[in-house]
Amino acid sequence: MLKELFTQARVASRTLARANRNHALNAIKKHLAAHIPEILKENSIDVENERQKGTSAALVDRLTLTEKRMEGILEAIDQVIALPDPVGRVLEGWRHPQGMQIEKVTVPFGVIGMIYESRPNVTVDAAILCLKAGSAVILRGSSNALNSNRALVKAMREGLKEAGLNENAISLIDSTDRSSVTELLTARGFVDLVIPRGGAGLINHVVQNAKVPVIETGVGNCHLYVHRDADLNSALKILMNGKTQRPGVCNALETLLVDQEIASAFLPRAVKALRDAGVEVRGDEDTQMYAPGVVAATEEDWSTEFLDLIIAVKVVKGLDEAINHINTYGSQHSEAIVTESLKAAEQFQNEVDAAAVYVNVSTRFTDGFEFGFGAEIGISTQKMHARGPMGLREMVTIQYRIRGEGQVR
Amino acid sequence: MLKELFTQARVASRTLARANRNHALNAIKKHLAAHIPEILKENSIDVENERQKGTSAALVDRLTLTEKRMEGILEAIDQVIALPDPVGRVLEGWRHPQGMQIEKVTVPFGVIGMIYESRPNVTVDAAILCLKAGSAVILRGSSNALNSNRALVKAMREGLKEAGLNENAISLIDSTDRSSVTELLTARGFVDLVIPRGGAGLINHVVQNAKVPVIETGVGNCHLYVHRDADLNSALKILMNGKTQRPGVCNALETLLVDQEIASAFLPRAVKALRDAGVEVRGDEDTQMYAPGVVAATEEDWSTEFLDLIIAVKVVKGLDEAINHINTYGSQHSEAIVTESLKAAEQFQNEVDAAAVYVNVSTRFTDGFEFGFGAEIGISTQKMHARGPMGLREMVTIQYRIRGEGQVR
């Protein structure tokens, strides 16, 4: 039963809006720095456990903390301290005809639940962003990082205490039991918002089971459409950047759509460049015709987020078919067109249903730092509250404040 | 199976952002006006059915349409036409260091589901607001208004058709089966947002069963706290307005909290005035002492939205206890303090967790029209996306649009 933990988080949250949160972030940084040896020791237990289970090297690497990674985590805290306070901004204000003043002010959410997979840096990242945004956070990391997370949360709570804040502003669900996830997802009245960070399986589990509000993040089946009026050199550059610069992230490309008018000019070059970079190309019949030797793409490939050096390629009749394909198979994350045609650019941006729609730019830019937000809790792929990169500005809610002298209706 | 209806709504939604929606709203108004006799005839069948079932006069009245009420509905369409288009607003724009332009633009949600109780005017209200906001709407009214709703939706779809729009932009779930509600609430990928409008039972059913994003609306357990530094005449005026001007609405008062320092001066006057207005007063022990003959309040009364001429009254030690009581029992809708103290006003507005927090003003002002939004689809009592009165500006989502000349990371 986590009800006591939830209640304590709620109590702590009441005082955060007006606390000196930057002061507390500094104290947290200090205590994390002081505990690096202990944190690395606990992390090595988690890492060793995974090694013995035979977990893949890539996943073990994601789990591993080092001196250098800890330095990166501490630097990120300084960056968050330097950002403006998202709480207490007066977004608008106006006068009611009867004379009272109405103001729309940003206020903290209250209690935010974070459910995430193995990377222990998310533990610090999420906690400091929630604190900066004036909300208490309840962290539920994955069981294979539990020792690391315990050590990180312990140090952060020491920092809160030193700064005179309620240490329950940051708490960890110290359980590997799946029922604790369910409890967090159904804690209506205790948890104001849950943000899942992880793969499609985790996000889907959360959405299917949550009774509290959720912001879905991070699933990206992104497309590049090369229009008939494209600059093909530019198209090739954007394609290679989107697919190969960092294939494991959500804003990487998964499908290439090529206009039939330029397919014979573009596809052989594109497929050669992709293969030279080690990318497996899966194409429809037309693609196979223009670039012999390409593997046949299956229906499933169109909706798959490969997160790997694999790309699905389809030749389309034109803009309408491209837009229709994207709106059918895409995950409403990031979509791009390469074209010199103003009309095509406009139609693409008007009709594609996604968080970020690019003209002649790589989809890899969908990112809170690239967008200039200075931080990012995740990339929202849903339409409520936050869409696209979610920074501190979206980690608050609003309140209307009205002052008058006895006005009644 | 409603999948075909959902798919048709999605197809219709794709064209709405750039359609002449005001032209369509005018056509809808024309066709509703032309069909008034037919609509009233169908409505009279619903009304007669309810009468035979022995439904209360108040509920029958809510269900009833008249010539005059139809006129009001048509006038409301003119008001919505006159409002600015919420779609296509560039909220922000900036340049990325690599030179491309990023714009944050409002775009329609897509498909909005509305689940609501008997008042057939909501059928038109919700449909025209969704259309104005560029979204297709799927309406699920209550079974006792089905004949009325069919006639209203038929006329509106004729209007859409005449204006050259896809008539599936407005559709009615023509079923009284509860499973159709469940189907709407779980239509992930088809429905972008569901807005329930009705009593606590309906809202709770929706929240517990929805797998699609929901905006909770309308449950209001609102408090008035009379602080020790209050102008008692002003307090009395605000109390009577909040409780008696329209007791059946969500922004009406349900509980009065009185500071012990002014209890002996205020409570006898307040209780007398309430009783003179026909209000049943239920008080804690202190209240019963200051105003003999008051019924004892139960624990349940503190969390009850009476929506009737009943009020719960409690004497509190001071501001902290008042805030704590409100944050414990309130529904985060509208809360008010009466005080001349700046410090008390600030603390109350900073610490009360609600959509609208008033100082020396009646809670009855929490309303999209009073706030100057020109329309209102509901009053959100949750913290995501929209909080408080939800107007057209909150009935859209955003999209980032990025244009460049081949930029890559």
Side-chain angles (χ1 to χ4, degrees):
Chain A
M1 281 297 291
L2 298 170
K3 203 171 163 183
E4 195 185 332
L5 185 147
F6 296 160
T7 306
Q8 287 170 342
R10 170 66 73 205
V11 169
S13 77
R14 297 282 183 216
T15 60
L16 292 178
R18 278 147 307 112
N20 189 335
R21 286 169 271 120
N22 274 348
H23 178 60
L25 288 170
N26 261 315
I28 285 172
K29 188 188 161 197
K30 198 181 95 182
H31 281 266
L32 282 170
H35 287 293
I36 288 178
E38 184 187 331
I39 291 164
L40 295 184
K41 198 180 134 218
E42 294 298 318
N43 179 250
S44 70
I45 300 173
D46 289 332
V47 168
E48 193 45 41
N49 285 341
E50 288 308 300
R51 279 220 183 90
Q52 284 182 6
K53 277 195 251 168
T55 303
S56 79
L59 285 179
V60 170
D61 180 64
R62 281 163 65 99
L63 178 61
T64 306
L65 289 174
T66 62
E67 285 272 358
K68 188 143 184 287
R69 286 182 181 179
M70 283 302 299
E71 271 169 40
I73 287 171
L74 299 182
E75 273 165 33
I77 300 181
D78 279 332
Q79 285 167 24
V80 170
I81 290 171
L83 293 172
D85 192 342
V87 176
R89 291 173 65 215
V90 180
L91 301 179
E92 285 180 89
W94 65 94
R95 197 164 283 275
H96 183 277
Q98 282 174 251
M100 60 277 200
Q101 187 71 20
I102 305 178
E103 287 189 346
K104 184 177 177 179
V105 184
T106 60
V107 297
F109 262 107
V111 177
I112 299 178
M114 289 288 311
I115 301 177
Y116 54 99
E117 289 171 341
S118 56
R119 288 194 296 174
N121 60 312
V122 176
T123 303
V124 181
D125 218 40
I128 63 170
L129 286 175
C130 289
L131 180 60
K132 177 85 184 190
S135 280
V137 68
I138 298 172
L139 300 158
R140 174 56 164 85
S142 66
S143 48
N144 60 13
L146 189 57
N147 293 295
S148 316
N149 289 341
R150 274 183 192 144
L152 291 165
V153 169
K154 184 169 164 268
M156 290 194 286
R157 286 170 65 103
E158 280 182 24
L160 287 170
K161 205 169 173 184
E162 187 193 297
L165 266 69
N166 185 326
E167 55 186 348
N168 296 319
I170 299 175
S171 49
L172 177 72
I173 296 185
D174 195 346
S175 159
T176 59
D177 195 336
R178 282 211 94 165
S179 73
S180 66
V181 173
T182 309
E183 233 183 299
L184 183 60
L185 290 175
T186 55
R188 287 185 59 77
F190 293 101
V191 176
D192 297 290
L193 173 64
V194 164
I195 306 176
R197 253 170 83 162
L202 171 68
I203 308 288
N204 197 46
H205 176 81
V206 168
V207 168
Q208 292 296 332
N209 293 283
K211 307 292 181 209
V212 299
V214 168
I215 290 187
E216 295 171 52
T217 67
V219 177
N221 182 17
C222 307
H223 301 71
L224 174 68
Y225 168 51
V226 183
H227 182 248
R228 60 187 62 181
D229 296 333
D231 172 330
L232 298 188
N233 292 326
S234 193
L236 192 64
K237 203 170 66 165
I238 290 170
L239 167 65
M240 296 309 292
N241 182 252
K243 185 66 252 180
T244 67
Q245 193 232 356
R246 212 175 153 199
V249 294
C250 60
N251 57 20
L253 285 180
E254 307 295 0
T255 297
L256 169 68
L257 302 172
V258 179
D259 196 295
Q260 63 181 9
E261 294 257 335
I262 45 93
S264 66
F266 185 66
L267 266 179
R269 274 177 76 188
V271 170
K272 182 177 185 309
L274 286 165
R275 283 179 167 168
D276 288 350
V279 178
E280 179 188 332
V281 181
R282 302 181 184 176
D284 69 340
E285 279 187 23
D286 286 347
T287 303
Q288 292 174 299
M289 187 179 77
Y290 290 114
V294 160
V295 186
T298 64
E299 173 67 18
E300 205 192 330
D301 286 328
W302 308 125
S303 32
T304 300
E305 188 187 15
F306 299 111
L307 294 172
D308 202 351
L309 289 175
I310 304 170
I311 195 165
V313 183
K314 186 179 168 68
V315 175
V316 293
K317 287 201 185 67
L319 188 53
D320 287 335
E321 190 184 338
I323 292 169
N324 191 44
H325 181 97
I326 291 169
N327 285 340
T328 304
Y329 295 102
S331 63
Q332 306 190 348
H333 192 296
S334 300
E335 305 295 348
I337 185 175
V338 182
T339 187
E340 297 298 306
S341 157
L342 177 63
K343 206 174 156 187
E346 298 270 339
Q347 191 185 336
F348 191 81
Q349 288 193 315
N350 278 322
E351 296 185 9
V352 166
D353 188 8
V357 186
Y358 293 86
V359 175
N360 299 327
V361 178
S362 170
T363 55
R364 289 278 295 112
F365 285 98
T366 304
D367 175 275
F369 296 93
E370 290 295 333
F371 276 22
F373 301 163
E376 178 187 286
I377 190 80
I379 294 177
S380 162
T381 52
Q382 40 98 70
K383 295 176 180 177
M384 260 178 73
H385 191 79
R387 198 179 194 200
M390 182 175 178
L392 281 168
R393 277 202 307 185
E394 284 88 16
M395 289 180 69
V396 292
T397 181
I398 62 101
Q399 178 174 80
Y400 290 102
R401 295 185 177 173
I402 305 97
R403 290 198 182 176
E405 304 94 24
Q407 285 89 343
V408 295
R409 276 179 83 176
Chain B
M1 281 296 292
L2 298 170
K3 205 171 161 183
E4 195 184 330
L5 186 148
F6 295 161
T7 306
Q8 287 170 341
R10 171 66 73 204
V11 169
S13 77
R14 298 282 183 216
T15 60
L16 292 178
R18 280 147 307 112
N20 189 334
R21 286 168 272 120
N22 274 348
H23 177 62
L25 288 170
N26 261 313
I28 285 172
K29 187 187 161 197
K30 198 181 95 182
H31 281 265
L32 282 170
H35 287 292
I36 288 178
E38 185 187 330
I39 291 164
L40 295 184
K41 199 181 133 215
E42 294 298 320
N43 179 250
S44 69
I45 299 173
D46 290 331
V47 168
E48 193 47 39
N49 284 341
E50 288 307 301
R51 280 223 183 88
Q52 284 183 7
K53 278 195 252 167
T55 303
S56 77
L59 285 179
V60 170
D61 180 63
R62 281 163 65 97
L63 179 61
T64 306
L65 291 172
T66 62
E67 286 272 357
K68 189 146 184 285
R69 286 181 182 179
M70 283 303 298
E71 272 167 39
I73 287 172
L74 300 182
E75 273 164 32
I77 300 181
D78 279 332
Q79 285 167 22
V80 170
I81 289 170
L83 292 171
D85 191 342
V87 176
R89 291 175 63 217
V90 179
L91 301 179
E92 285 181 273
W94 64 94
R95 197 165 283 275
H96 183 277
Q98 282 174 250
M100 61 278 200
Q101 188 71 21
I102 305 177
E103 287 188 346
K104 185 177 177 179
V105 184
T106 60
V107 297
F109 262 107
V111 177
I112 298 177
M114 289 288 311
I115 302 177
Y116 53 101
E117 288 171 342
S118 56
R119 288 194 295 175
N121 59 313
V122 175
T123 303
V124 180
D125 219 39
I128 63 169
L129 285 174
C130 289
L131 180 61
K132 178 85 184 192
S135 281
V137 68
I138 298 172
L139 301 158
R140 174 56 164 84
S142 67
S143 48
N144 60 13
L146 189 57
N147 293 296
S148 316
N149 290 341
R150 274 183 193 144
L152 291 165
V153 169
K154 184 168 165 271
M156 291 194 286
R157 286 170 64 103
E158 281 181 22
L160 287 170
K161 205 171 173 183
E162 187 193 297
L165 267 68
N166 186 326
E167 56 186 346
N168 295 319
I170 299 174
S171 49
L172 177 71
I173 296 184
D174 195 346
S175 159
T176 58
D177 196 335
R178 281 210 96 166
S179 72
S180 66
V181 173
T182 309
E183 235 184 299
L184 184 60
L185 290 175
T186 54
R188 287 184 61 77
F190 293 100
V191 176
D192 297 291
L193 173 65
V194 164
I195 305 175
R197 253 171 83 164
L202 172 68
I203 308 288
N204 197 45
H205 176 81
V206 168
V207 168
Q208 292 296 333
N209 292 283
K211 307 290 181 210
V212 299
V214 167
I215 289 187
E216 295 171 52
T217 67
V219 176
N221 181 18
C222 307
H223 300 71
L224 175 68
Y225 168 51
V226 183
H227 181 248
R228 59 187 61 179
D229 296 333
D231 173 330
L232 298 187
N233 291 327
S234 193
L236 193 63
K237 203 168 69 166
I238 290 170
L239 168 65
M240 296 310 291
N241 182 252
K243 185 66 252 179
T244 66
Q245 193 232 358
R246 212 174 154 200
V249 293
C250 60
N251 58 20
L253 284 180
E254 307 295 3
T255 297
L256 169 68
L257 302 172
V258 179
D259 196 294
Q260 63 182 9
E261 294 259 334
I262 45 91
S264 65
F266 185 66
L267 266 179
R269 274 177 76 188
V271 170
K272 181 176 187 309
L274 287 163
R275 284 179 167 168
D276 287 350
V279 178
E280 178 187 332
V281 182
R282 302 181 183 175
D284 69 342
E285 280 187 22
D286 286 347
T287 303
Q288 293 173 313
M289 187 179 78
Y290 290 114
V294 160
V295 186
T298 64
E299 173 67 18
E300 205 192 332
D301 286 328
W302 308 125
S303 31
T304 300
E305 188 187 16
F306 299 112
L307 294 172
D308 202 352
L309 289 174
I310 303 170
I311 194 165
V313 184
K314 185 178 169 66
V315 175
V316 294
K317 287 201 185 66
L319 188 53
D320 286 336
E321 190 184 339
I323 292 170
N324 191 43
H325 181 97
I326 291 168
N327 286 341
T328 304
Y329 295 101
S331 64
Q332 307 190 349
H333 191 297
S334 300
E335 305 295 348
I337 185 175
V338 181
T339 187
E340 297 299 306
S341 156
L342 177 61
K343 206 174 158 189
E346 298 270 339
Q347 191 185 337
F348 191 81
Q349 288 193 314
N350 279 321
E351 296 186 10
V352 166
D353 189 7
V357 186
Y358 293 85
V359 174
N360 299 327
V361 178
S362 170
T363 56
R364 288 279 295 113
F365 285 99
T366 304
D367 175 276
F369 296 92
E370 290 294 333
F371 276 22
F373 302 162
E376 178 188 286
I377 190 79
I379 293 177
S380 162
T381 52
Q382 42 98 69
K383 295 177 180 178
M384 260 178 75
H385 191 79
R387 198 179 194 200
M390 184 176 177
L392 281 169
R393 278 203 307 186
E394 285 88 16
M395 290 181 67
V396 292
T397 182
I398 62 100
Q399 178 175 80
Y400 291 101
R401 295 186 176 173
I402 304 98
R403 290 200 182 175
E405 305 93 25
Q407 283 90 342
V408 295
R409 276 179 82 177

